[in-house]
Amino acid sequence: MKKVALLMGSDSDLDRLQTTLDHLRKLEIPFEARVMSAHRTPKLVVDFVEAAPSNGFGVFLCAAGSAAHLAGVVAAHTDLPVIGIPMDNPPLGGLDALLSTVQMPGGIPVATVAVGGGGPANAALFAARILALGDEALAARVAAFRSSQAETVAKKDARLQAKLEG
Ligand code: RP5
């Protein structure tokens, strides 16, 4: 299976990417997580991205906050799919990163997940769905994950009904 490259602009992003890592691990998706910045280490980013296909990567997850250009810069240097994860940094709470990531010009696509909440987890799940197109075993794990969520909701509903009746 191709690997996921999880790039983050700073180690200050890492704690908020725990659910991304958790979901990649749960779905048994090989990945590398790296700190590199579109602004502070632009050459490193370009070198990494250009070498990515020959290094076995299939999808990029790019997490950055503030004036977040990491996902866009990565997308500008590759034909692989890029998913942007806008980080909810102060003082603007991630609106800055969201707009910087989602408002890409035509021709250079970046799929952008939500700021905070389920966004970082969804980035991993979206990467899983992309890679699952060419991997039946992963597709089965993705399907099982979705079923398990439905079962969890059904249990919660049953608990609610019991509480309301009691
Ligand atoms: C962005 O700048 C990073 O993704 C991070 O969210 C933000 C702040 O970085 P630090 O100043 O905490 O290193 O590039």
Side-chain angles (χ1 to χ4, degrees):
M1 189 194 313
K2 300 260 190 208
K3 292 183 289 184
V4 166
L6 171 57
L7 308 184
M8 62 199 83
S10 172
D11 61 349
S12 62
D13 300 320
L14 178 59
D15 287 350
R16 289 165 290 160
L17 296 171
Q18 199 53 54
T19 56
T20 314
L21 297 168
D22 291 346
H23 282 79
L24 291 172
R25 290 190 179 115
K26 187 181 173 69
L27 291 168
E28 299 170 45
I29 295 171
F31 70 90
E32 285 183 26
R34 299 284 304 273
V35 176
M36 57 183 77
S37 163
H39 303 125
R40 293 167 174 157
T41 62
K43 186 166 185 321
L44 174 64
V45 171
V46 173
D47 289 348
F48 182 90
V49 173
E50 287 181 346
S54 53
N55 285 329
F57 292 100
V59 182
F60 285 98
L61 304 182
C62 299
S66 306
H69 295 116
L70 185 57
V73 167
V74 169
H77 289 87
T78 186
D79 297 318
L80 295 175
V82 177
I83 301 165
I85 310 174
M87 303 306 298
D88 54 349
N89 291 359
L92 300 184
L95 183 59
D96 42 3
L98 173 64
L99 297 179
S100 303
T101 306
V102 77
Q103 287 294 99
M104 287 296 292
I108 305 294
V110 168
T112 305
V113 296
V115 178
N122 279 347
L125 295 171
F126 196 64
R129 289 182 178 204
I130 292 169
L131 294 174
L133 290 170
D135 188 308
E136 283 184 18
L138 177 57
R141 294 197 291 278
V142 168
F145 174 78
R146 198 161 63 89
S147 298
S148 77
Q149 283 193 130
E151 284 165 20
T152 302
V153 172
K155 281 181 195 153
K156 287 180 179 177
D157 183 54
R159 279 201 295 273
L160 172 64
Q161 300 313 314
K163 201 181 277 183
L164 294 174
E165 283 164 18

